[in-house]
């Protein structure tokens, strides 16, 4: 019987050695050459984490395949879980996609490697979480610790550095960031982080080709000279054009207290988190919500941000419309969002004090 590790909810303030112990315990229970499916988030952190894990496990003789979530999907989406079941892997590693108590694939040995606030652990799964450690390691950096444990981390340092830069910026004190900046140059690492984040934000929202690029290029120089990187540049341009339009949308305020600012945009590109983030620079006294009516068919996707000392997850829970799924108001205390069908969206707006948004 596969033993999940450990039985506690999760261990905060986990250090590198503990992360490596959790990873080795998981991997050592698998038969040699077992096929391991890696499911990662489609952002730069998830892409680099998935690549580090796949390469590292392949170097140890495992058959590792990696895939990232598509537009509107998360690790618990039925479409995603069905696909994984069809692959019949011997084990599953999910990275940078959070952790919650809902089951993933029943009876499949599963390890989650993540740094978001966990709200639970899927039954039978093991969680390796950086959440609660300061500074919080990214999923890519946690994956790099895992690669170190397998002694296959050589030449994967730049991937960890890209994940740190993409999720935490360039002011962190992780030695992996400092050394890689010196070795590869901040400019190259920054460009890579930006390009890797582009496909998921573009209209199609498909970062799988970016993952293939990372898996197929041995190092940063090879990646940056691969002709296919032009598709990432095109995605970035598409996104930038949509962002330029969205930046011109004006906020509306709820009644009567004007505590919530709402910006409505309409584009298939994932601009809403950046627009919300942009507006909190100017609207320091509000909770800012940017809603995108064009992201997914028949749905309103929104991002919520604030500079106020307010826990947005708690705030959204108070205004949760009936029938809103578990994706509503997840994420970070100061950065969250959701995806609602129109009826739920109207209910949500009424609850916030907006009589209409059109
Ligand atoms: Mn991340």
């Amino acid at each position: 019987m596969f033993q999940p590790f450990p039985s506690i909810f999760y261990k905060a303030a986990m250090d590198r050695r503990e992360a490596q112990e959790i990873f080795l315990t998981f991997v050592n229970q698998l038969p040699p050459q077992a096929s391991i499916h890696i499911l990662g988030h489609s952002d730069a952190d998830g892409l680099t984490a998935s690549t580090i894990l796949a390469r590292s496990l392949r170097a140890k003789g495992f058959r590792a395949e990696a895939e990232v979530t598509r537009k509107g999907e998360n690790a618990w989406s039925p479409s995603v879980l069905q696909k994984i079941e069809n692959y019949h892997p011997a084990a599953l590693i999910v990275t940078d996609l959070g952790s919650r108590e809902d089951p993933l694939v029943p009876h499949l040995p599963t390890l989650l490697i993540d740094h978001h606030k966990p709200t639970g652990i899927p039954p039978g799964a093991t969680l390796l979480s950086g959440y609660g450690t300061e500074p919080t390691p990214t999923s890519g950096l946690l994956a790099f610790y895992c690669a170190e444990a397998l002694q296959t981390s050589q030449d994967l340092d730049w991937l960890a550095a890209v994940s740190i830069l993409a999720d935490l910026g360039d002011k962190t004190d992780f030695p992996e960031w400092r050394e890689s900046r010196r070795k590869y140059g901040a400019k190259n690492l920054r460009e890579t982080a930006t390009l890797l984040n582009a496909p998921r934000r573009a209209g199609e929202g498909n970062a799988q080709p970016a993952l293939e690029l990372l898996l197929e290029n041995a190092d940063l120089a090879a990646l940056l000279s691969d002709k296919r990187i032009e598709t990432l540049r095109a995605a970035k341009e598409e996104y930038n054009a949509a962002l330029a339009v969205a930046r011109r949308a004006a906020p509306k305020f709820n009644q009567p207290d004007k505590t919530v600012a709402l910006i409505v945009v309409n584009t298939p590109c994932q601009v809403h988190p950046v627009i919300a983030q942009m507006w909190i620079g100017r609207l320091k006294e509000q909770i800012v919500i940017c809603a995108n009516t064009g992201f997914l068919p028949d749905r309103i996707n929104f991002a919520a941000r604030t500079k106020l000392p307010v826990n947005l997850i708690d705030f959204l829970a108070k205004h949760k419309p009936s029938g809103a799924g578990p994706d509503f108001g997840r994420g970070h205390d100061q950065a969250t969002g959701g995806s609602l069908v129109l009826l739920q969206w109207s209910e949500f707006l009424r609850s916030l004090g907006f009589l209409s948004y059109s």
Side-chain angles (χ1 to χ4, degrees):
M1 204 32 209
F2 202 86
Q3 290 300 314
F5 178 110
S7 53
I8 51 168
F9 172 42
Y10 75 97
K11 188 175 182 308
M14 170 205 69
D15 69 13
R16 179 187 307 237
R17 275 204 26 225
E18 286 168 300
Q20 293 173 333
E21 191 190 335
I22 294 171
F23 184 69
L24 286 179
T25 303
F26 182 82
V27 169
N28 288 338
Q29 288 185 75
L30 300 171
Q33 295 162 37
S35 66
I36 302 171
H37 188 76
I38 298 158
L39 175 70
H41 187 212
S42 56
D43 72 353
D45 187 25
L47 286 163
T48 50
S50 303
T51 304
I52 291 169
L53 292 165
R55 286 211 184 165
S56 177
L57 290 164
R58 285 175 188 173
K60 282 288 169 191
F62 292 103
R63 285 181 292 144
E65 295 299 331
E67 203 163 356
V68 287
T69 48
R70 306 297 165 95
K71 194 172 186 178
E73 285 181 345
N74 63 56
W76 287 264
S77 303
S79 56
V80 172
L81 296 176
Q82 188 57 58
K83 211 157 48 165
I84 294 167
E85 276 200 80
N86 293 346
Y87 295 144
H88 298 291
L92 171 66
I93 300 179
V94 178
T95 187
D96 205 39
L97 286 161
S99 183
R100 59 171 96 157
E101 63 183 8
D102 305 318
L104 287 162
V105 181
H107 312 299
L108 181 63
T110 299
L111 173 70
L112 297 101
I113 299 176
D114 191 58
H115 64 142
H116 301 93
K117 183 178 187 173
T119 57
I121 304 179
T126 296
L127 172 62
L128 191 169
S129 174
Y131 183 81
T133 309
E134 283 303 328
T136 306
T138 57
S139 299
L141 184 54
L142 292 168
F144 184 74
Y145 295 166
C146 295
E148 284 181 326
L150 293 181
Q151 297 174 311
T152 53
S153 63
Q154 227 195 342
D155 305 325
L156 299 175
D157 53 353
W158 62 280
L159 290 160
V162 167
S163 85
I164 294 168
L165 186 60
D167 265 26
L168 305 172
D170 58 7
K171 301 282 186 285
T172 62
D173 202 30
F174 288 109
E176 286 79 6
W177 163 242
R178 282 201 310 271
E179 284 162 32
S180 291
R181 183 178 50 195
R182 186 171 43 76
K183 224 164 123 183
Y184 303 102
K187 185 175 164 284
N188 287 336
L189 293 167
R190 193 168 291 120
E191 184 185 6
T192 306
T194 307
L195 288 176
L196 291 179
N197 269 327
R200 70 181 289 264
R201 291 172 175 165
E204 202 195 336
N206 180 9
Q208 190 66 24
L211 179 60
E212 306 297 339
L213 272 175
L214 286 178
L215 289 169
E216 289 166 28
N217 283 290
D219 56 48
L220 182 58
L223 175 77
L224 289 174
S225 58
D226 189 313
K227 281 200 177 63
R228 292 172 295 172
I229 208 154
E230 288 310 316
T231 61
L232 306 192
R233 287 192 213 287
K236 187 180 153 192
E237 277 166 32
E238 180 196 344
Y239 167 78
N240 281 344
L243 189 63
V245 174
R247 286 172 77 99
R248 297 201 288 266
K252 290 174 191 241
F253 298 89
N254 66 329
Q255 300 300 334
D257 54 0
K258 293 185 165 46
T259 49
V260 181
L262 173 68
I263 299 110
V264 180
V265 299
N266 177 16
T267 166
C269 297
Q270 199 188 50
V271 299
H272 38 290
V274 173
I275 294 295
Q277 188 66 32
M278 178 190 96
W279 276 102
I280 60 168
R282 277 199 253 172
L283 301 171
K284 296 188 173 70
E285 303 297 318
Q286 274 83 19
I287 288 168
V288 174
I289 294 176
C290 179
N292 189 346
T293 55
F295 188 66
L296 287 172
D298 307 317
R299 296 193 82 87
I300 312 287
N301 284 64
F302 71 93
R305 301 284 187 277
T306 190
K307 280 248 164 104
L308 294 170
V310 175
N311 184 318
L312 287 180
I313 291 178
D314 295 343
F315 174 81
L316 287 182
K318 267 185 255 154
H319 297 280
K320 185 170 183 164
S322 44
D327 295 331
F328 181 87
R330 295 188 64 83
H332 303 278
D333 296 346
Q334 242 69 41
T336 175
S339 176
L340 297 171
V341 296
L342 279 167
L343 211 62
Q344 296 162 343
W345 176 246
S346 318
E347 187 185 330
F348 178 53
L349 283 190
R350 275 197 305 275
S351 173
L352 292 174
F354 291 93
L355 293 174
S356 80
Y357 75 93
S358 51

